[in-house]
Amino acid sequence: MASLILFGVFTLLMLIGTPIAFCLGIASFATIFYLKLPPLVIFQQMNSGMSVFTLLAIPFFIYAGDLMVRGGIAQRIVAFAGSLVGHLRGGLGQVNVAASTLFGGISGSAVAEAAAVGGLMIPQMKARGYGADYAVNVTSMAALIALLLPPSHNMIIYSISAGGKISIADLFTAGIIPGLLLAASLMVTAYFVARKRGYPTEPFPGFNFIARSFAVAVPGLLLIVIIFGGVRSGIFTATESSCIAVFYALLVTLIVYRSMSWKAFVEATLGAVRTTAMILLIIGTAASFAWLMAYLKIPAQLIDWLGAVSQDPLVILLLINLILLLLGTFMDMGPTIIIATPIFLPVAVHYGIDPVHFGVILILNLGIGLNTPPVGAVQFVACAVGRITVWEAMRSIWPFYGAGLVVLGLVTYVPELSLWLPQVFRNGIDFSFTLTLFSWGQ
């Protein structure tokens, strides 16, 4: 009965449009009162969920990304991406994906990427004769690349939700190959859709122009090396790297590019504060919700239920993916990670699935949910920039959904796509890459 109250109240509040943080908090209080436990437990769990030192990385990475957008770094990265791939079929669509890949390694946020790259690319694409739905769909799906590349905020949330026992450096590294694979699949899809619609290519600018664009973009691109190299080598932690990212973003925008105005600086600061407050409130209430699930032994019940369905890890992962895809249609990504990790990670570990590998599956799966109505934050941002409705975008997004689901399937059933690179960095000598489909439980 307590489980029914927990999920029933949460679902009811979601259906009537209550903000997600209040859905989680009220559902937790309702369950606590039913169980006749002291309400103080909820506040203790909220405080415990928010009082995690590693969480400091999230507001600083958000701040750094906002500074880079307002300080002109995003524009220079887009220009460099355009010089590289603009001459391919559907040139501006290819530029969109390439720019999202480069900027994703700096911002770590799909929503920020959709706003930054979309704000630059969607108006240009519409002016050059590209359909608004095509421009929006390329932007919204390409923004998901940021979720997999360092410094992904959601990788940090997953590590904390798993009890802080999973290396953030390993998670950052594990997402690189899947992220690049997603970028490649979206570029191929954008090519074929553009070819079918007869969209134009851009003239090849020449290698001299590419070199000049690269030179201009280098100060911004160096942040990728600083963040990933520093965390992976152990020179500094993810939290320390986020502070360095803010300092470096200010250095580049104020001194190198000289493009940061006082107004833009204030707006970036206030925006980061607002976003951080919202995220921390959701994390706190989701932590109390997750504690109640553990108290009610919901993960153990799920293991028993899935075990009754099948003992095959292939089938278990398929079922988990289907459940997560369904959750992603009506829940935002941050709270879903905090709620789903304590439920599904024990199941994954029970069936011999590596926690780092499962983290990449979880992030990519829920990322696709960010483009799925009714709660698709990235899709809403891209549609707002493109000035079309979500339903107009949905009518033609299916090829891009297909590309994302193919990559999700590969990441799910080929563990080495996620685990090989972290092993390379840990071992330092073994660069063999063998695609063994499944060796779990052996």
Side-chain angles (χ1 to χ4, degrees), residues 85-95 121-136 138 190 193-195 197-202:
V85 299
H87 60 285
L88 301 177
R89 172 66 67 179
L92 292 184
Q94 308 292 349
V95 173
M121 293 302 305
I122 291 176
Q124 292 185 49
M125 294 175 74
K126 291 170 67 176
R128 301 285 185 91
Y130 291 79
D133 60 329
Y134 176 83
V136 166
V138 171
V193 174
R195 184 176 179 180
R197 295 191 181 189
Y199 291 151
T201 60
E202 302 295 315

Side-chain angles (χ1 to χ4, degrees), residues 31-79:
T31 308
I32 282 288
F33 287 132
Y34 174 79
L35 294 171
K36 297 181 180 179
L37 295 174
L40 181 62
V41 172
I42 296 296
F43 295 103
Q44 289 174 334
Q45 294 303 319
M46 288 180 63
N47 181 66
S48 176
M50 291 186 288
S51 301
V52 179
F53 179 75
T54 309
L55 278 177
L56 282 174
I58 295 176
F60 282 110
F61 277 134
I62 291 171
Y63 191 23
D66 210 346
L67 288 171
M68 285 179 249
V69 171
R70 298 177 190 276
I73 292 178
Q75 292 92 321
R76 290 164 174 84
I77 290 175
V78 169

Side-chain angles (χ1 to χ4, degrees), residues 277-309:
M278 177 183 67
I279 290 175
L280 288 179
L281 179 60
I282 292 173
I283 288 174
T285 53
S288 64
F289 193 92
W291 180 84
L292 277 169
M293 288 192 298
Y295 180 84
L296 297 172
K297 299 181 180 179
I298 291 174
Q301 295 173 25
L302 182 63
I303 290 174
D304 293 339
W305 178 77
L306 290 174
V309 175

Side-chain angles (χ1 to χ4, degrees), residues 175 240 257 332 416:
E240 292 165 347
Y257 291 150
D332 204 359
E416 285 83 354

Side-chain angles (χ1 to χ4, degrees), residues 319-328 340 344 358 362 365-366:
L319 292 173
I320 291 175
N321 268 326
L322 291 175
I323 294 171
L324 290 174
L325 285 170
L326 177 62
L327 289 175
F344 293 108
F358 181 73
L362 178 72
N365 190 308
L366 297 180

Side-chain angles (χ1 to χ4, degrees), residues 32-358:
I32 282 288
F33 287 132
Y34 174 79
L35 294 171
K36 297 181 180 179
L37 295 174
L40 181 62
V41 172
I42 296 296
F43 295 103
Q44 289 174 334
Q45 294 303 319
M46 288 180 63
N47 181 66
S48 176
M50 291 186 288
S51 301
V52 179
F53 179 75
T54 309
L55 278 177
L56 282 174
I58 295 176
F60 282 110
F61 277 134
I62 291 171
Y63 191 23
D66 210 346
L67 288 171
M68 285 179 249
V69 171
R70 298 177 190 276
I73 292 178
Q75 292 92 321
R76 290 164 174 84
I77 290 175
V78 169
F80 172 55
S83 69
L84 287 176
V85 299
H87 60 285
L88 301 177
R89 172 66 67 179
L92 292 184
Q94 308 292 349
V95 173
N96 199 320
V97 178
S100 295
T101 304
L102 293 173
F103 188 67
I106 295 175
S107 70
S109 167
V111 174
E113 187 164 316
V117 178
L120 293 169
M121 293 302 305
I122 291 176
Q124 292 185 49
M125 294 175 74
K126 291 170 67 176
R128 301 285 185 91
Y130 291 79
D133 60 329
Y134 176 83
V136 166
N137 291 334
V138 171
T139 299
S140 62
M141 286 301 295
L144 305 185
I145 300 168
L147 302 173
L148 297 168
L149 301 179
S152 169
H153 311 155
N154 294 287
M155 293 285 193
I156 298 172
I157 293 175
Y158 170 72
S159 175
I160 294 169
S161 302
K165 298 176 182 179
I166 302 175
S167 166
I168 293 176
D170 281 350
L171 289 170
F172 279 179
T173 312
I176 292 176
I177 292 178
L180 296 178
L181 186 61
L182 178 60
S185 68
L186 291 176
M187 292 185 77
V188 170
T189 305
Y191 172 87
F192 281 107
V193 174
R195 184 176 179 180
K196 181 179 180 180
R197 295 191 181 189
Y199 291 151
T201 60
E202 302 295 315
F204 181 65
F207 291 106
N208 288 335
F209 184 83
I210 292 175
R212 289 197 299 272
S213 299
F214 175 69
V216 172
V218 160
L221 295 174
L222 276 177
L223 188 56
I224 301 173
V225 180
I226 293 172
I227 292 173
F228 177 72
V231 174
R232 182 70 263 184
S233 64
I235 296 175
F236 40 73
T237 65
T239 305
E240 292 165 347
S241 74
S242 66
C243 300
I244 293 170
V246 171
F247 177 79
Y248 184 81
L250 285 171
L251 182 69
V252 171
T253 54
L254 288 174
I255 299 176
V256 179
Y257 291 150
R258 299 182 181 180
S259 52
M260 176 66 72
S261 66
W262 174 252
K263 180 181 178 181
F265 172 76
V266 172
E267 288 175 349
T269 304
L270 293 177
V273 170
R274 285 193 295 268
T275 304
T276 300
M278 177 183 67
I279 290 175
L280 288 179
L281 179 60
I282 292 173
I283 288 174
T285 53
S288 64
F289 193 92
W291 180 84
L292 277 169
M293 288 192 298
Y295 180 84
L296 297 172
K297 299 181 180 179
I298 291 174
Q301 295 173 25
L302 182 63
I303 290 174
D304 293 339
W305 178 77
L306 290 174
V309 175
S310 175
Q311 291 293 325
D312 187 346
L314 295 170
V315 177
I316 297 301
L317 274 177
L318 176 61
L319 292 173
I320 291 175
N321 268 326
L322 291 175
I323 294 171
L324 290 174
L325 285 170
L326 177 62
L327 289 175
T329 63
F330 62 89
M331 286 185 63
D332 204 359
M333 189 168 185
T336 309
I337 292 172
I338 300 171
I339 294 170
T341 299
I343 297 176
F344 293 108
L345 182 58
V347 178
V349 172
H350 178 78
Y351 285 93
I353 300 164
D354 189 282
V356 172
H357 175 215
F358 181 73

